[in-house]
């Protein structure tokens, strides 16, 4: 529904604020849609956006959320890896941004223990200085 709202705004030539673009990243990641993620980031979405819970507490970031997806393997993993590469290619991405004692590296390592496909993503985070 967030994506539909953005598309309507585009069609109506309305200004789309960074907050809206940033919030939409999470549903795009959940849908494994790398083309839309790239588009959002190109339009000004913040790759370090900290999503809040309904009570206003910090919840996660797009990169942490990406590694929170469960049961991703095969073709779906390839899509997830594409989105990972899009996120880490952002000039201002913070691979060490911690939210609720979670970092992208901690989440990625947890996934790699269950699925070896994630190990190259862990290695890439480490090469970028993730701790």
């Amino acid at each position: 529904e967030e994506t539909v709202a953005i598309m309507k705004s585009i069609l109506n030539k309305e200004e789309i604020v960074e907050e809206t673009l940033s919030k939409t990243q999470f549903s795009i990641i959940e849908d494994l849609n790398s083309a839309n993620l790239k588009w959002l980031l190109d339009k000004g979405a913040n790759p370090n956006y900290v999503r809040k819970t309904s009570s206003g507490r910090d919840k996660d970031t797009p990169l942490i959320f990406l590694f929170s997806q469960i049961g991703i393997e095969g073709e779906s993993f390839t899509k997830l890896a594409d989105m990972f590469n899009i996120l880490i290619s952002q000039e201002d991405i913070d691979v060490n941004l911690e939210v609720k004692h979670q970092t992208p590296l901690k989440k990625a390592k947890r996934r790699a223990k269950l699925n070896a496909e994630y190990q190259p993503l862990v290695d890439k985070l480490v090469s970028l200085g993730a701790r």
Side-chain angles (χ1 to χ4, degrees):
E1 71 189 51
E2 294 166 344
T3 308
V4 171
I6 287 176
M7 294 305 174
K8 285 180 181 176
S9 296
I10 292 167
L11 291 172
N12 293 330
K13 299 186 187 306
E14 298 170 14
E15 184 67 28
I16 306 170
V17 296
E18 182 264 327
E19 175 91 358
T20 301
L21 291 170
S22 296
K23 284 181 177 179
T24 304
Q25 291 178 91
F26 297 91
S27 59
I28 297 297
I29 290 169
E30 194 169 38
D31 292 341
L32 298 175
N33 191 323
S34 57
N36 283 356
L37 179 63
K38 182 168 179 10
W39 184 88
L40 283 175
L41 292 163
D42 288 347
K43 291 295 178 192
N46 178 358
N48 300 311
Y49 181 79
V50 178
R51 182 167 59 160
K52 306 282 186 192
T53 64
S54 57
S55 63
R57 292 190 172 154
D58 290 351
K59 183 175 182 179
D60 55 14
T61 66
L63 202 49
I64 291 171
F65 179 68
L66 182 130
F67 289 113
S68 299
Q69 304 307 298
I70 297 172
I72 305 292
E73 40 188 48
E75 186 180 326
S76 293
F77 177 79
T78 302
K79 292 177 182 179
L80 182 131
D82 287 345
M83 291 191 301
F84 168 79
N85 287 319
I86 290 167
L87 282 169
I88 63 165
S89 72
Q90 299 305 300
E91 203 171 284
D92 56 344
I93 189 73
D94 182 353
V95 295
N96 288 306
L97 189 56
E98 185 174 329
V99 178
K100 289 175 40 183
H101 306 293
Q102 291 297 325
T103 65
L105 184 59
K106 286 180 186 176
K107 292 295 266 189
K109 282 182 173 181
R110 220 173 282 139
R111 288 285 165 247
K113 283 182 182 177
L114 302 172
N115 180 344
E117 287 182 297
Y118 282 85
Q119 191 58 49
L121 306 186
V122 169
D123 297 342
K124 183 64 177 177
L125 283 171
V126 170
S127 77
L128 294 170
R131 302 181 296 282

